[in-house]
Amino acid sequence: MKLTLLTTGGTIDKTYNEHKGVLANYDTVLDRILAGLRLPDIDIDHIEVMNKDSLEMTETDRAMLLQAVLDAQAYSDAILITHGTDTLAESGEYLVDHLHPARIPVVLTGAMRPYEFRDSDAVQNVTEALLAVRLLGPGVYVVMHNRVLNFPGVIKNRTQLCFERRTT
């Protein structure tokens, strides 16, 4: 399987800078996560689109992410995007609105707690997303916390700290 991994930053990639005393996006941790997994028959092309907190993402950033997805669809069997959870739903809606339609599975995932935290959900979510890209049909999805939800109509439940279907 040919997978394109697009990283955008977000909580999953936040690391602690001891000199500045801040938790921020500096470098992606995805290569470290992937190194701890057995992935014998997957060819991953890792592209760092940006590295920022999703609350700082703009429409220009989402357009840049869309272009990366459009480019990757030409040579990939699936696309996995790591994204900050605060605006992941907005980016998922943006992608589903502009892909007309997605030709392959496009899965967004992230973490509620940074990879470097002891109680992080990062490895679980990346592992689930890696399995999901093999099983899902074309479309845009969020895969986190043992859930697979397709766009449109996904929201972040800030009380339960998970994603769910929007109720009307």
Side-chain angles (χ1 to χ4, degrees):
M1 168 179 236
K2 176 71 173 161
L3 174 73
T4 298
L5 171 61
L6 303 175
T7 55
T8 66
T11 298
I12 196 169
D13 274 330
K14 286 192 185 272
T15 54
Y16 183 69
N17 182 315
E18 294 177 25
H19 299 289
K20 295 180 181 178
V22 295
L23 188 65
N25 291 100
Y26 297 105
D27 296 306
T28 184
V29 299
L30 266 293
D31 290 331
R32 293 190 320 199
I33 292 174
L34 295 173
L37 303 175
R38 290 184 183 191
L39 304 168
D41 60 348
I42 189 167
D43 178 19
I44 300 175
D45 182 18
H46 181 180
I47 300 170
E48 194 171 331
V49 179
M50 65 193 78
N51 196 0
K52 59 174 29 178
D53 187 302
S54 71
L55 290 172
E56 298 172 0
M57 286 184 81
T58 64
E59 288 303 302
T60 301
D61 293 327
R62 285 188 180 84
M64 188 166 51
L65 178 60
L66 172 64
Q67 188 59 56
V69 170
L70 291 169
D71 293 345
Q73 280 191 132
Y75 62 86
S76 301
D77 298 314
I79 298 169
L80 174 56
I81 302 168
T82 60
H83 194 291
T85 62
D86 286 315
T87 65
L88 184 149
E90 288 88 337
S91 292
E93 296 290 342
Y94 184 91
L95 291 173
V96 80
D97 287 347
H98 291 85
L99 283 175
H100 305 296
R103 294 186 353 214
I104 59 176
V106 177
V107 171
L108 291 99
T109 196
M112 298 292 177
R113 294 183 193 96
Y115 168 72
E116 292 191 343
F117 282 24
R118 221 175 275 156
D119 60 348
S120 176
D121 54 337
V123 174
Q124 173 188 339
N125 295 335
V126 169
T127 302
E128 290 173 358
L130 286 166
L131 177 61
V133 295
R134 291 181 170 277
L135 302 175
L136 294 170
V140 180
Y141 306 86
V142 60
V143 175
M144 287 182 67
H145 307 129
N146 201 35
R147 291 183 178 177
V148 176
L149 302 167
N150 64 307
F151 287 94
V154 175
I155 60 167
K156 180 178 178 179
N157 180 323
R158 295 179 185 283
T159 304
Q160 298 294 319
L161 296 177
C162 64
F163 287 89
E164 61 189 22
R165 303 279 330 142
R166 177 177 40 237
T167 57
T168 52

